[in-house]
Amino acid sequence: MLLLALDTATPAVTVALHDGTDVVASSSQVDARRHGELLLPAVDRVLAEAGLKLDAVTGIVVGIGPGPYTGLRVGLMTADTFGLALGVPVHGVCTLDGLAYAADIEEGPFVVATDARRKEVYWARYADSRTRLTDPAVDRPAEIAEQVAGLPAVGAGALLYPDTFPVAREPEHVCAAALAALAAERLAAGAELPAPRPLYLRRPDAQVPKNYKVVTPK
């Protein structure tokens, strides 16, 4: 097994290789505006560090969000392209699950919250680092304050809103190493991973203007 994992659902552009036992190489950079520019060089970098070629990869793991539309689709389209080119399976993993796994909390409950912009967070509740209790959701922090009161929380969303998440901790962003390790663990156990389809949870920011006029000739 050699899994190539990547995630662009948060400001982190993160890539890792996992051989089924350990992480072989990884790279993470935080830049919310340059996912498209940074992702492929990061893939090249981890392959070079591992001394491997892309055709050695036996499976792709990609973070499916939730996340903003523009960043999230960069990782998903890249993963689909690699899968088609190499003829290998592409596995989805919820980005929040990757953060929970990296937090390494043996006993919960706890919360994972990432920045959804618009003064909102993407979040879910966990029993432990491997067990999610709720579906991912997007809400304003004040609207979920009672549901998360007193619970430890990880992720950039938790760090941004200390009034709602007073017990916030690292990691701030997901890392592909955690995604790859979680996927390898689940695959080894015979679990079926989600399809590599995006969890947007809301409509994209770009909208067709109202009163749009068609100017093409009839």
Side-chain angles (χ1 to χ4, degrees):
M1 177 187 292
L2 184 67
L3 298 176
L4 172 65
L6 49 97
D7 192 294
T8 57
T10 74
V13 179
T14 179
V15 179
L17 283 170
H18 196 287
D19 65 4
T21 302
D22 294 302
V23 174
V24 177
S26 64
S27 171
S28 293
Q29 296 172 269
V30 177
D31 191 328
R33 298 181 181 276
R34 299 177 63 212
H35 292 98
E37 295 176 47
L38 298 175
L39 182 57
L40 290 180
V43 171
D44 288 341
R45 192 159 51 249
V46 297
L47 287 168
E49 181 181 336
L52 297 168
K53 300 293 186 181
L54 185 60
D55 59 9
V57 170
T58 61
I60 310 294
V61 176
V62 61
I64 60 174
Y69 178 82
T70 303
L72 185 53
R73 66 179 179 176
V74 171
L76 285 161
M77 290 303 297
T78 302
D80 279 344
T81 300
F82 282 154
L84 287 171
L86 298 171
V88 300
V90 181
H91 308 287
V93 175
C94 174
T95 299
L96 300 180
D97 290 358
L99 267 164
Y101 189 84
D104 195 25
I105 298 175
E106 294 185 3
E107 293 186 10
F110 69 97
V111 175
V112 173
T114 61
D115 182 16
R117 305 173 187 172
R118 303 183 191 175
K119 298 181 180 180
E120 295 178 328
V121 293
Y122 297 117
W123 71 284
R125 183 169 171 154
Y126 290 78
D128 55 54
S129 285
R130 292 172 172 81
T131 310
R132 177 157 39 88
L133 297 173
T134 62
D135 289 334
V138 58
D139 291 289
R140 289 184 177 271
E143 296 171 347
I144 61 172
E146 290 187 7
Q147 298 178 61
V148 303
L151 296 180
V154 300
L159 295 167
L160 275 173
Y161 301 101
D163 288 345
T164 299
F165 306 101
V167 193
R169 63 178 70 173
E170 299 285 345
E172 182 176 2
H173 301 299
V174 71
C175 65
L179 281 180
L182 177 58
E185 185 177 293
R186 288 176 172 173
L187 289 170
E192 184 174 345
L193 298 182
R197 297 295 174 262
L199 289 172
Y200 290 131
L201 301 189
R202 65 186 183 201
R203 297 179 65 83
D205 292 334
Q207 301 289 335
V208 176
K210 293 182 179 179
N211 303 318
Y212 179 76
K213 294 182 180 179
V214 178
V215 296
T216 54
K218 294 182 179 179

